[in-house]
Amino acid sequence: MNGVTDGAADGDRATEVAAGLTARGVTAVALAWVDNAGITRVKTVPTARLAHAIRWGVGMSPVFDVFCVDDSITTSRHIGGPVGDLRLYPDLDALRVLDAQPGWAIAPADRLTQDGDAHPACQRSFARRMVERAGADGLTFRMAFEFEWFVGAHNGVHDAGDNEPIPACTGPAYGMTRVVELADYARDVLAALAAEGVAVDQFHPEYAPGQLELSIAATDPVTAADRVVLVRETIRAVSARHGLRASFAPMVSAGGVGNGQHLHVSAWENGTNLFAGGEGPHGLTGRGESLLAGVLAHLPALCAISAPSVPSYLRLVPQHWAGPFQCWGLENREAALRLITGTAGSRASAANAELKCVDGSANPYLVVGAVAALAHTTVAKGLRLPAEVTVDPAELPDATRPARLPRSVTEATEALAHDDVLGAALGEPLLGAFLAVRAAEAELFAPSSPEGIVAATRWKY
Ligand code: GLU
Ligand code: MG
């Protein structure tokens, strides 16, 4: 809902919401959206100005569609340059008071033209459109991203050298020691998310030094993408309050184990989970299998969206549990599509597929929209999955090893540029701007070593 379609009613509601926020001590609201470089950008308004923002939007240049991770600006056929303006419209239903940033709230924003039309390159509108399109044919989704992050200490000097990843804990992978070392920090993360209404499923220390992970409950896809911004910025804020810093970058140390931001997906028709109770492999229904086969076939192109940055391809390598092979398997953590049936008895609700080739440099709205588009296009095609991979694909002989997913941004964008389903779903202004950012970032880092790439992007995401 935005001010252009029903300005007066939205204005009234916004006035009410603003009064409620003021009563809760909220001074300002951040209107947030995620750009094609995967960076969350904002304009903020004092709470007293929220009603105005709801009614008339807040200005922001369309040139942000071609911003890169280092804030350099490229251009594309339809979008680029200093001229023009868009309006950010905060989504009041998704507004949340930020627990770890006292006095602040955040609201995901949709981007509209000054005439009130959807901006053709608005990623959140794209996600909503794809979800609605599937929904019109009775196909709905439950989705949840998982968050792996590195929690780092500052070097104590805050000088130019304060870029190194100094783990904020020293305990072993998955070790209780880390939970003890970071007990106050972890408690504050969990408490803040609870206060913001985010249902956390689980929290644990991950494999890499200083790496933690949090998983949250599945929601509708657009909410799942909204949660990426909310959860990450909350963790970032709690980290700052503890004198620490969080990195959701695909890689924080060259050659190490990266941060994934895996996406769990289940698909539903008539109240039934398509991944359970069927005659296909591991209980997949025929339509569930078709949809997964469709997603699997389009994975090289999807990677351009789900692993879009140059450091993404330092992470997406074999034997790091990042899912770099174009294959599927029950609980196979080296497969890009890991099928999860859940515990016996819970499967009708629990069964889902985990897309592992996703990281924190992705725009989550593009990821959920692309997955919804692929699922919707292929659910009724009667596609069959290829043979399941039940071992580490890297250990298979050449002849039977599944294909590697793209090994670079350039390979992935090649695949996306030739993918009719995703191309048509995104539409040229969005696709063109998105590809332009990929090309500019590939060029930006072409002369850099893996260490240089990681150093330049470590604290950006
Ligand atoms: N850190 C791994 C990644 O880069 C994932 C580990 C896991 O399976 O949770 O995706
Ligand atoms: Mg993990």
Side-chain angles (χ1 to χ4, degrees):
M1 188 56 119
N2 63 74
V4 178
T5 49
D6 193 2
D10 280 355
D12 289 349
R13 185 165 166 233
T15 307
E16 250 172 62
V17 172
L21 290 175
T22 303
R24 291 177 66 185
V26 173
T27 305
V29 181
L31 279 48
W33 66 284
V34 185
D35 72 8
N36 287 324
I39 306 291
T40 299
R41 313 250 181 207
V42 292
K43 287 275 183 94
T44 78
V45 291
T47 305
R49 187 76 174 170
L50 183 63
H52 189 276
I54 283 286
R55 186 152 194 190
W56 306 113
V58 169
M60 199 166 198
S61 164
V63 81
F64 287 97
D65 284 325
V66 287
F67 260 52
C68 300
V69 64
D70 67 337
D71 295 342
S72 62
I73 303 171
T74 184
T75 191
S76 68
R77 184 156 148 232
H78 293 279
I79 300 172
V83 180
D85 198 37
L86 294 170
R87 307 267 111 190
L88 297 178
Y89 282 95
D91 183 340
L92 277 192
D93 294 324
L95 182 146
R96 291 289 176 273
V97 175
L98 288 170
D99 193 66
Q101 272 172 270
W104 283 91
I106 194 166
D110 291 318
R111 295 184 299 147
L112 279 74
T113 68
Q114 287 180 337
D115 291 324
D117 302 318
H119 170 47
C122 172
Q123 297 87 348
R124 193 168 185 265
S125 305
F126 161 75
R128 202 174 30 241
R129 218 167 41 240
M130 294 305 111
V131 169
E132 283 172 0
R133 211 176 66 173
D137 287 332
L139 177 64
T140 59
F141 306 97
R142 307 283 294 160
M143 297 192 188
F145 288 91
E146 279 179 3
F147 305 92
E148 292 182 340
W149 78 99
F150 171 80
V151 55
H154 289 282
N155 68 2
V157 188
H158 288 266
D159 62 358
D162 192 15
N163 179 27
E164 293 310 307
I166 306 167
C169 54
T170 56
Y174 308 99
M176 180 63 190
T177 303
R178 286 195 199 171
V179 176
V180 175
E181 289 176 279
L182 294 172
D184 292 354
Y185 169 75
R187 178 207 56 211
D188 288 353
V189 166
L190 294 172
L193 292 172
E196 291 166 357
V198 176
V200 171
D201 279 354
Q202 212 189 101
F203 162 77
H204 68 262
E206 249 293 344
Y207 184 80
Q211 193 181 36
L212 303 174
E213 172 171 336
L214 190 120
S215 50
I216 62 173
T219 60
D220 70 90
V222 174
T223 301
D226 287 343
R227 293 264 155 100
V228 171
V229 175
L230 180 63
V231 169
R232 285 170 50 157
E233 298 317 320
T234 297
I235 290 173
R236 214 185 301 281
V238 173
S239 303
R241 291 171 80 79
H242 282 262
L244 304 172
R245 52 184 165 175
S247 168
F248 299 87
M251 292 300 275
V252 292
S253 303
V257 167
N259 288 322
Q261 198 172 281
H262 312 158
L263 177 67
H264 290 264
V265 183
S266 59
W268 299 71
E269 286 177 334
N270 300 315
T272 301
N273 184 349
L274 298 184
F275 299 161
E279 300 298 310
H282 306 294
L284 292 175
T285 66
R287 289 169 73 84
E289 180 176 359
S290 184
L291 165 174
L292 287 181
V295 171
L296 186 63
H298 287 269
L299 273 189
L302 186 61
C303 274
I305 294 170
S306 65
S309 66
V310 174
S312 293
Y313 293 87
L314 300 173
R315 166 184 169 262
L316 203 55
V317 296
Q319 301 191 315
H320 284 62
W321 288 13
F325 290 98
Q326 190 179 8
C327 65
W328 73 281
L330 181 69
E331 297 289 3
N332 189 337
R333 288 178 172 78
E334 280 292 314
L337 264 186
R338 169 188 172 205
L339 186 65
I340 298 167
T341 57
T343 311
S346 73
R347 292 182 176 150
S349 62
N352 70 89
E354 180 186 36
L355 191 61
K356 294 204 68 147
C357 51
V358 187
D359 68 53
S361 62
N363 180 311
Y365 299 99
L366 295 182
V367 175
V368 301
V371 169
L374 291 174
H376 179 230
T377 313
T378 55
V379 66
K381 288 231 159 95
L383 305 175
R384 305 296 307 271
L385 280 166
E388 177 179 3
V389 174
T390 57
V391 296
D392 178 352
E395 307 281 0
L396 288 169
D398 289 358
T400 52
R401 192 178 316 120
R404 270 286 297 275
L405 289 172
R407 289 164 199 247
S408 67
V409 168
T410 311
E411 260 185 55
T413 47
E414 255 319 274
L416 177 59
H418 292 101
D419 191 290
D420 292 345
V421 174
L422 290 176
L426 290 161
E428 161 45 38
L430 176 51
L431 178 66
F434 182 82
L435 290 176
V437 173
R438 307 281 73 74
E441 290 188 355
E443 192 181 328
L444 175 70
F445 292 118
S448 304
S449 64
E451 288 73 17
I453 294 164
V454 172
T457 52
R458 183 181 288 134
W459 302 111
K460 299 288 189 181
Y461 302 108

